[in-house]
């Protein structure tokens, strides 16, 4: 993990994300890219379309952003870490996606406001779009947490072959954290599967996977999202991993309809992996 992107609006939640990113950077000798997007009308940023004082106004916002960057970069928790600041005049989602591609970013860390904020982030906002479309892992955090204290990561799966690649990526992420991985299939009455069926599917799904620090369980629950949350609580999970289907989004995760309740109500950080 060499490059970590932290989109920022200079809020408390964005700083929480930066504090977590700093821990990754310090542990894995990574670089952090702080990205602030100024979503100004085109005529305010393009000299060919400008009139009056519009360009000076855009310069004002640029200088203000750099001043706020100076305040952020003076924080003690960033001492000794390579941090690069970038301000772009672009729509946030487009800018973030473009930046990750052009700079070969390995991980995106984004902040959240809690239950209400998570709903806003995952349903119809820029962060939801990033989570849905990002080809690289996206870690969404509500509060600062200590990555060295992550001992248990829960990863929910539907055991489908097409999800094996994203699962393998999640396994590597968990190994990087030196945490135990609890892989779970949530068995519901509406989509009940027999023990024999799930034993066969899990054997095939886990084939060629290093299961040294990994265990698989079937957990019965009234719904998938409630099952994941209850199972995560049962395992004292510090992190929940999920996969996303790109343009189909979270609503189609696990071939069903995991609602925003999963991320709205999860008190632990959530990391997403793209199904390719």
């Amino acid at each position: 993990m060499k490059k970590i992107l932290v989109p920022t609006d200079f809020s408390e939640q964005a700083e929480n994300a930066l504090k977590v990113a700093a821990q990754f950077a310090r542990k894995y000798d990574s670089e952090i890219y702080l990205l602030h997007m100024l979503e100004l009308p085109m005529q305010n940023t393009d000299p060919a379309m400008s009139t009056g004082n519009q360009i000076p106004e855009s310069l004002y916002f640029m200088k203000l952003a750099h001043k706020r960057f100076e305040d952020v970069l003076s924080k003690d928790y960033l001492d000794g870490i390579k941090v690069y600041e970038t301000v772009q005049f672009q729509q946030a989602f487009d800018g973030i996606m473009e930046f990750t591609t052009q700079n070969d970013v390995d991980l995106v860390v984004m902040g959240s406001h809690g239950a209400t904020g998570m709903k806003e982030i995952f349903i119809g906002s820029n962060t939801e779009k990033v989570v849905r479309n990002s080809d690289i892992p996206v870690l969404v955090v509500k509060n600062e947490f200590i990555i060295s204290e992550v001992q248990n990561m829960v990863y929910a799966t539907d055991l489908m072959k097409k999800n094996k690649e994203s699962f393998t990526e999640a396994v590597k992420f968990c190994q990087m954290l030196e945490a135990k991985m609890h892989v779970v299939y949530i068995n519901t009455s509406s989509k009940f599967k027999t023990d024999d069926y799930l034993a066969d599917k899990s054997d095939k799904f886990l084939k060629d996977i290093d299961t040294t620090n990994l265990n698989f369980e079937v957990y019965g629950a009234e719904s998938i999202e409630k099952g994941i949350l209850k199972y995560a609580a049962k395992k004292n999970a510090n992190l929940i991993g999920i996969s996303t289907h790109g343009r189909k989004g979270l609503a189609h995760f696990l071939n069903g309809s995991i609602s925003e309740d999963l991320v709205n109500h999860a008190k632990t950080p959530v990391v997403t992996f793209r199904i390719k």
Side-chain angles (χ1 to χ4, degrees):
M1 180 182 297
K2 294 302 180 183
K3 297 181 179 180
I4 302 171
L5 174 63
V6 182
T8 183
D9 58 1
F10 305 107
S11 65
E12 178 183 351
Q13 291 72 32
E15 184 170 16
N16 288 336
L18 180 58
K19 288 178 179 179
V20 172
Q23 296 176 60
F24 278 103
R26 197 174 300 282
K27 184 173 183 178
Y28 303 107
D29 193 25
S30 309
E31 301 174 341
I32 294 177
Y33 291 81
L34 263 178
L35 177 64
H36 180 62
M37 309 304 300
L38 287 171
E39 298 184 351
L40 298 178
M42 181 62 71
Q43 64 267 24
N44 287 22
T45 60
D46 187 347
M49 301 177 64
S50 67
T51 60
N53 296 322
Q54 290 169 341
I55 293 301
E57 182 181 13
S58 67
L59 291 176
Y60 166 77
F61 284 112
M62 177 72 81
K63 290 180 179 179
L64 180 62
H66 282 297
K67 175 61 174 65
R68 301 184 78 173
F69 270 127
E70 289 179 7
D71 296 336
V72 171
L73 296 176
S74 67
K75 302 293 185 179
D76 292 342
Y77 60 82
L78 293 175
D79 285 348
I81 298 174
K82 292 181 180 178
V83 183
Y84 302 95
E85 61 177 89
T86 302
V87 179
Q88 294 184 2
F89 293 99
Q90 201 170 0
Q91 294 297 312
F93 166 68
D94 295 331
I96 292 169
M97 298 305 296
E98 184 177 301
F99 192 94
T100 59
T101 301
Q102 293 180 349
N103 294 277
D104 296 322
V105 172
D106 300 299
L107 174 68
V108 180
V109 184
M110 306 186 78
S112 149
H113 292 273
T116 301
M118 287 298 283
K119 183 175 182 180
E120 293 172 353
I121 282 178
F122 277 83
I123 306 300
S125 72
N126 289 311
T127 306
E128 187 272 340
K129 293 177 184 176
V130 173
V131 166
R132 184 191 312 149
N133 293 280
S134 177
D135 288 328
I136 62 175
V138 179
L139 174 62
V140 182
V141 302
K142 293 180 181 179
N143 302 291
E144 178 189 2
F145 69 96
I146 309 301
I147 65 170
S148 61
E149 295 180 357
V150 175
Q151 298 180 341
N152 296 285
M153 173 178 168
V154 162
Y155 179 89
T157 179
D158 58 5
L159 299 175
M160 298 298 290
K161 182 179 179 180
K162 63 181 179 181
N163 301 340
K164 183 71 173 279
E165 186 175 349
S166 65
F167 170 64
T168 302
E169 195 172 2
V171 171
K172 292 178 180 177
F173 190 85
C174 190
Q175 290 174 338
M176 181 183 68
L177 292 173
E178 300 178 348
K180 184 173 182 61
M181 190 173 197
H182 304 273
V183 183
V184 62
Y185 179 95
I186 306 299
N187 208 6
T188 64
S189 59
S190 61
K191 295 185 178 180
F192 178 78
K193 304 297 182 184
T194 65
D195 288 346
D196 289 343
Y197 172 86
L198 291 175
D200 178 65
K201 293 287 287 186
S202 62
D203 285 345
K204 293 177 180 177
F205 192 74
L206 296 174
K207 185 179 180 180
D208 302 322
I209 295 291
D210 181 5
T211 58
T212 304
N213 204 26
L214 177 155
N215 72 286
F216 170 77
E217 289 186 78
V218 177
Y219 187 79
E222 60 267 44
S223 69
I224 294 175
E225 54 268 29
K226 289 183 180 180
I228 294 172
L229 292 174
K230 289 181 178 179
Y231 185 78
K234 176 183 176 182
K235 295 298 181 179
N236 295 316
N238 311 98
L239 183 65
I240 295 176
I242 61 176
S243 293
T244 59
H245 281 270
R247 293 183 183 278
K248 295 180 181 179
L250 293 173
H252 292 270
F253 171 60
L254 294 177
N255 281 345
S257 58
I258 284 209
S259 71
E260 64 271 20
D261 287 345
L262 174 60
V263 285
N264 287 347
H265 300 145
K267 296 180 179 180
T268 55
V270 176
V271 59
T272 65
F273 303 90
R274 173 74 176 272
I275 295 173
K276 301 174 183 178

